[in-house]
């Protein structure tokens, strides 16, 4: 049974989420403030964290920052509907996905299961076929789930690692945003959903430019992205 930690100061919402997720086979812990949320996130045995942006005391962003400093546990952030800034900031800070309030509990379950499918797929691939991908100065090790650029390890989130693996496997090919969402987020891309673009932007920053100053990941207008093959490699 998967154990989920919900950090949200809305007691009624916590009860609603608890009842619904329990009926779906999840075990739930709920806390109403950020400090306690951080403590439980870092000391408890949770498979996923649902974190509200608006919390009393320290904000959800600060909670996420403290969690990410010590843990790679998947985090799904709850944001105000229409507040794109909160969504982008959360993703930039290492959230795996987001869900705007108010939401249908079925959508929350769908997002949680999508993250679980991605994590399960990654675990199986790591166990059965620890791939090592090398392209130019970038090396990805599926066994350790580490990526190095020029011998220096990059601090990637689980979503960024998944994107990196797709890009290296399909380097030189145009990959649609829909396909990236399916493989990296484990779910279908929704209209006006910019989460993949934010994750790709984060990955670009961490990778830096090619040795000649060119872009590693280029946007293909209206379609998706392409990972540039270094000159001389085919």
């Amino acid at each position: 049974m998967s154990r989920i930690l919900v950090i949200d100061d809305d007691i009624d919402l916590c009860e609603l989420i608890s009842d619904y997720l329990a009926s779906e086979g999840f075990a739930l812990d709920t806390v109403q403030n950020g400090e306690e949320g951080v403590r439980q996130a870092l000391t408890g045995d949770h498979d996923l964290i649902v974190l509200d942006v608006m919390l009393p005391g320290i904000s959800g962003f600060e909670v996420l920052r403290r969690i990410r400093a010590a843990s790679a546990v998947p985090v799904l952030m709850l944001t105000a509907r229409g507040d794109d800034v909160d969504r982008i900031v959360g993703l930039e800070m290492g959230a795996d996905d987001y869900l705007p309030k108010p939401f249908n509990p079925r959508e929350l379950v769908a997002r949680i299961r999508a993250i679980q499918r991605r994590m399960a797929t990654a675990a199986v691939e790591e166990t059965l076929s620890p791939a090592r991908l090398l392209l130019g100065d970038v090396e990805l090790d599926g066994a350790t789930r580490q990526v190095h650029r020029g011998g220096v390890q990059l601090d990637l989130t689980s979503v960024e690692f998944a994107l990196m693996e797709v890009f290296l496997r399909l380097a030189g090919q145009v990959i649609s945003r829909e396909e990236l969402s399916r493989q990296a987020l484990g779910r279908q891309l929704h209209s006006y959903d910019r989460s993949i673009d934010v994750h790709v932007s984060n990955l670009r920053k961490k990778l830096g430019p090619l040795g000649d100053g060119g872009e590693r990941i280029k946007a293909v207008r209206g379609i998706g992205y392409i990972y540039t093959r270094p000159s001389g490699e085919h």
Side-chain angles (χ1 to χ4, degrees), residues 16 85 105 189 217:
L16 173 65
V85 173
L189 188 71
I217 304 173

Side-chain angles (χ1 to χ4, degrees), residues 63-76:
V63 172
L64 177 61
R65 185 190 69 78
R66 295 188 191 181
I67 291 173
R68 277 293 167 261
S71 173
V73 62
V75 176
L76 172 65

Side-chain angles (χ1 to χ4, degrees), residues 18 28 36-37 64 69 90 129 131 151 180 192 195 205 210:
S18 295
L28 267 291
E36 178 63 15
L64 177 61
S129 55
L180 287 172
Y192 308 110
S195 53
K205 293 174 184 176
L210 291 167

Side-chain angles (χ1 to χ4, degrees), residues 98-196:
Y98 66 83
L99 186 62
K101 288 182 174 182
F103 54 83
N104 187 315
R106 292 179 61 186
E107 176 68 9
L108 175 62
V109 170
R111 294 293 179 100
I112 290 173
R113 295 203 187 283
I115 293 174
Q116 289 182 319
R117 284 194 300 272
R118 174 170 55 79
M119 299 301 289
T121 298
V124 169
E125 290 178 348
E126 179 179 332
T127 302
L128 299 181
S129 55
R132 178 178 174 273
L133 301 174
L134 179 64
L135 186 63
D137 62 346
V138 175
E139 179 181 359
L140 180 147
D141 189 334
T144 61
R145 293 190 66 77
Q146 293 181 353
V147 174
H148 291 79
R149 183 204 61 226
V152 178
Q153 183 178 335
L154 302 180
D155 183 19
L156 302 185
T157 66
S158 61
V159 174
E160 290 162 3
F161 181 89
L163 283 171
M164 192 73 248
E165 187 170 25
V166 176
F167 280 132
L168 290 182
R169 288 188 185 281
L170 302 178
Q173 301 179 40
V174 176
I175 312 168
S176 70
R177 294 172 68 248
E178 289 77 10
E179 181 63 15
L180 287 172
S181 181
R182 187 184 69 80
Q183 295 203 37
L185 296 179
R187 63 172 174 81
Q188 181 180 353
L189 188 71
H190 298 286
S191 300
Y192 308 110
D193 186 345
R194 312 310 298 178
S195 53
I196 277 296

Side-chain angles (χ1 to χ4, degrees), residues 38-78:
V38 171
R39 189 191 69 79
Q40 289 207 30
L42 297 182
T43 60
D45 184 21
H46 297 98
D47 300 292
L48 183 142
I49 296 172
V50 176
L51 171 63
D52 188 26
V53 169
M54 300 298 293
L55 293 171
I58 63 173
S59 72
F61 295 133
E62 176 61 17
V63 172
L64 177 61
R65 185 190 69 78
R66 295 188 191 181
I67 291 173
R68 277 293 167 261
S71 173
V73 62
V75 176
L76 172 65
M77 295 205 77
L78 302 179

